[in-house]
Amino acid sequence: MTVTAAPRTPAEGGNDFVVVANRLPVDVTVTPDGTRSFTPSPGGLVTALSPVLERNAGCWVGWPGTVDGGMEPFRTDSGILLHPVALTATDYEEFYEGFSNATLWPLYHDLIVPPTYDRTWWETYREVNYTFAREVTSVAAEGATVWVQDYQLQLVPGILRQLRPDLTIGFFLHIPFPPAELFRQLPWREEIVRGLLGSDVIGFHLPQNADNFLTLARSVAGAPGSHTGQPDSLNVEGRASVREISAHITAPDGRRVGVAAFPISIDTASVIDTAAQVDAADIRHRLGDPETMILGVDRLDYTKGILQRLSAYEELLESGALDPHDSVLLQIATPSRERLEHYRRTRARVEEAVGRINGRFAEVGRPVVHYLHRSLGKQQLFGCYVAADIMLVTPFKDGMNLVAKEYVACHGDGSGALVLSEFAGSATELNRAFLCNPHDGDSVKRQLMIAVNMLRDTPDEARDRMLAMHSQVVEHDVDLWARSFLDALRSH
């Protein structure tokens, strides 16, 4: 997606299709002289929604990534209007780093670290959601379809419903939705539910996440001390299913709100095309031509289980199950939210473990762990996917995990093996992976060694497993995800 600055004038009118997300689909760079440049940002959401926006001459509302500076709307060369939302430094700290990522993120990931419940953060979260909603009303045509994305903007559907009842509103959550008994810790639980119920359709990755929401909606309805507008009761019909609406909630205003699962995926065709162009042999050579190359690719987040993965690898080297002369682990850890204490602590522990393992088992010029704390370009990253014998994806909790699907897409020849956490959403679809419990180091070690031995001793069985997963990823790509949700929304 090529981006050119092209300010929009009020005469251009409203948009029939609007996507609302925390970030715009571009990265903005500001030079010392104040000049701005724009480059497309990577990610499945951008890939999925860009074609839909192009077909509908749509608009994307989001934060451009800079604070304390206004920015005019601009267009991509393909006609997508990008409408920036201005945030202050305080907004960023309290709405994004605070309530979104120090309150909601740990709460939605099963309290891996304790959430912080701060009233000031909540008030800023509410105000920023109102700001996003107000910007949407300024760009949406009469009767437009608005698709709100993710946990940062859960109040937007409810606010839009009040400001613009003519809109058709969808909401999709890209992270897990926790069990009701955990969510009920949140002091502002009724407000979040009311915000989500402003939608016509609410989408989740898995039926379990949707069922968690349905249970929560029942449990907080009519809760003592709830604010005006909270329903006295919620009629919940059916159970959440995949890609079709089979469960409904009757909202306070009498609307039927559809709830279902729509598992997100990747642009499989693009991944396969890129993978065909890489030089995997060169990557393996630069790693010392190991007999077994193991790969981890993650944001450096405490939910990803990187430290536990390193510990399992260390123990296998220590026991002799893996030979340090023939094995190498490449861990790519993309920087993430480094101003937050839990993230800084996670990075320190991971890098300490890398140093310890290499100190014990490496030889001069031949480390057993190669560690990169930066993002890689798509070509280089996919080269690593193709080169790796085994991919380790071991999050404690993950809404989906598209890295696992990208790895599988890169192995259409049936090579390779995927060791995957049973707590990743993708484990439901990629059930021929070597599933492990990342909380249990022995489970990670056991599944890793089963994969190693199968690749060596029974390669036909390993090939069958990979080909089955590859077919699943090809048939269920990101375009199916977007079409399924929007079809459900428009027919609701």
Side-chain angles (χ1 to χ4, degrees):
M1 179 174 61
T2 306
V3 176
T4 57
R8 170 181 180 266
T9 64
E12 291 186 49
N15 298 270
D16 292 326
F17 182 62
V18 180
V19 168
V20 196
N22 176 56
R23 288 294 302 270
L24 288 176
V26 296
D27 293 323
V28 181
T29 302
V30 182
T31 61
D33 65 0
T35 303
R36 293 189 176 99
S37 61
F38 309 95
T39 55
S41 57
L45 185 62
V46 176
T47 301
L49 296 182
S50 292
V52 182
L53 285 162
E54 290 169 9
R55 286 195 298 270
N56 293 275
C59 176
W60 188 306
V61 176
W63 178 55
T66 58
V67 297
D68 294 325
M71 189 180 299
E72 289 297 315
F74 51 100
R75 287 188 179 273
T76 69
D77 285 348
S78 56
I80 300 173
L81 174 65
L82 303 184
H83 187 90
V85 177
L87 297 182
T88 67
T90 299
D91 289 337
Y92 177 78
E93 292 170 7
E94 297 180 355
F95 154 74
Y96 182 73
E97 292 185 330
F99 195 81
S100 294
N101 290 315
T103 300
L104 294 178
W105 181 267
L107 178 64
Y108 283 37
H109 287 83
D110 292 353
L111 311 183
I112 293 173
V113 302
T116 300
Y117 301 124
D118 184 293
R119 181 172 296 277
T120 300
W121 291 356
W122 159 251
E123 291 171 352
T124 304
Y125 180 86
R126 185 177 57 198
E127 291 303 315
V128 170
N129 271 244
Y130 178 76
T131 298
F132 271 83
R134 190 177 63 241
E135 295 294 336
V136 171
T137 65
S138 73
V139 299
E142 182 74 18
T145 295
V146 178
W147 194 359
V148 185
Q149 308 291 328
D150 223 2
Y151 65 106
Q152 301 96 342
L153 303 177
Q154 292 175 108
L155 302 181
V156 167
I159 299 169
L160 284 177
R161 184 63 58 191
Q162 296 179 45
L163 297 176
R164 289 284 302 274
D166 60 291
L167 299 175
T168 298
I169 305 168
F171 178 88
F172 189 83
L173 184 69
H174 292 265
I175 65 175
F177 195 87
E181 59 269 22
L182 294 185
F183 190 93
R184 290 180 66 187
Q185 291 186 15
L186 186 66
W188 308 281
R189 60 198 190 188
E190 289 88 1
E191 289 91 333
I192 295 291
V193 171
R194 284 203 306 277
L196 293 171
L197 288 177
S199 309
D200 293 293
V201 172
I202 306 171
F204 302 88
H205 284 306
L206 304 177
Q208 179 184 354
N209 299 150
D211 284 335
N212 285 346
F213 175 74
L214 294 172
T215 301
L216 171 72
R218 292 188 194 97
S219 68
V220 304
S226 62
H227 296 278
T228 301
Q230 176 69 21
D232 294 328
S233 64
L234 287 174
N235 297 320
V236 180
E237 308 167 21
R239 289 180 60 81
S241 64
V242 177
R243 297 193 176 94
E244 63 181 25
I245 304 300
S246 64
H248 292 87
I249 297 175
T250 302
D253 56 5
R255 290 177 304 104
R256 282 162 58 84
V257 179
V259 179
F262 303 86
I264 198 171
S265 192
I266 60 174
D267 184 357
T268 310
S270 174
V271 172
I272 292 173
D273 181 64
T274 303
Q277 303 173 36
V278 303
D279 187 352
D282 178 66
I283 291 174
R284 291 185 70 98
H285 180 68
R286 283 186 281 152
L287 292 173
D289 291 316
E291 181 178 324
T292 302
M293 175 186 166
I294 304 167
L295 176 66
V297 177
D298 312 83
R299 282 191 311 105
L300 191 48
D301 189 293
Y302 54 77
T303 65
K304 300 300 184 181
I306 301 173
L307 182 62
Q308 290 70 21
R309 178 187 315 164
L310 290 167
S311 297
Y313 179 61
E314 181 178 20
E315 291 179 18
L316 290 172
L317 293 173
E318 187 174 44
S319 68
L322 288 177
D323 186 340
H325 298 94
D326 297 331
S327 306
V328 66
L329 170 62
L330 171 60
Q331 176 62 57
I332 300 166
T334 305
S336 176
R337 303 168 190 165
E338 295 200 304
R339 300 204 313 178
L340 300 182
E341 175 60 29
H342 287 296
Y343 289 82
R344 291 198 301 269
R345 192 179 307 153
T346 297
R347 177 182 178 183
R349 290 173 175 173
V350 165
E351 293 180 351
E352 178 186 7
V354 170
R356 183 184 67 247
I357 296 168
N358 279 328
R360 294 183 64 191
F361 299 104
E363 296 180 355
V364 174
R366 193 180 178 91
V368 292
V369 179
H370 292 255
Y371 170 78
L372 301 178
H373 182 241
R374 63 178 184 274
S375 299
L376 296 185
K378 183 181 292 188
Q379 197 86 4
Q380 190 174 9
L381 176 61
F382 285 17
C384 294
Y385 287 151
V386 175
D389 300 296
I390 298 172
M391 183 88 196
L392 270 177
V393 181
T394 57
F396 294 130
K397 191 74 171 181
D398 221 336
M400 179 54 64
N401 195 289
L402 298 181
V403 163
K405 293 188 175 185
E406 289 176 340
Y407 177 78
V408 168
C410 288
H411 288 265
D413 60 352
S415 63
L418 174 65
V419 178
L420 178 62
S421 165
E422 62 188 74
F423 301 114
S426 54
T428 301
E429 298 174 281
L430 304 180
N431 54 19
R432 298 300 303 278
F434 298 88
L435 298 179
C436 67
N437 177 0
H439 299 275
D440 177 4
D442 289 338
S443 174
V444 177
K445 290 190 294 182
R446 182 168 55 251
Q447 294 304 313
L448 176 54
M449 290 311 303
I450 291 174
V452 169
N453 293 329
M454 187 178 294
L455 287 172
R456 183 188 61 210
D457 300 331
T458 55
D460 288 345
E461 183 179 356
R463 182 175 181 272
D464 289 344
R465 296 172 72 121
M466 181 59 70
L467 289 177
M469 293 188 291
H470 186 267
S471 294
Q472 203 283 335
V473 171
V474 169
E475 293 169 9
H476 299 83
D477 64 1
V478 73
D479 184 60
L480 176 63
W481 168 75
R483 284 190 289 107
S484 297
F485 186 94
L486 292 174
D487 287 349
L489 181 60
R490 289 164 178 160
S491 64
H492 177 66

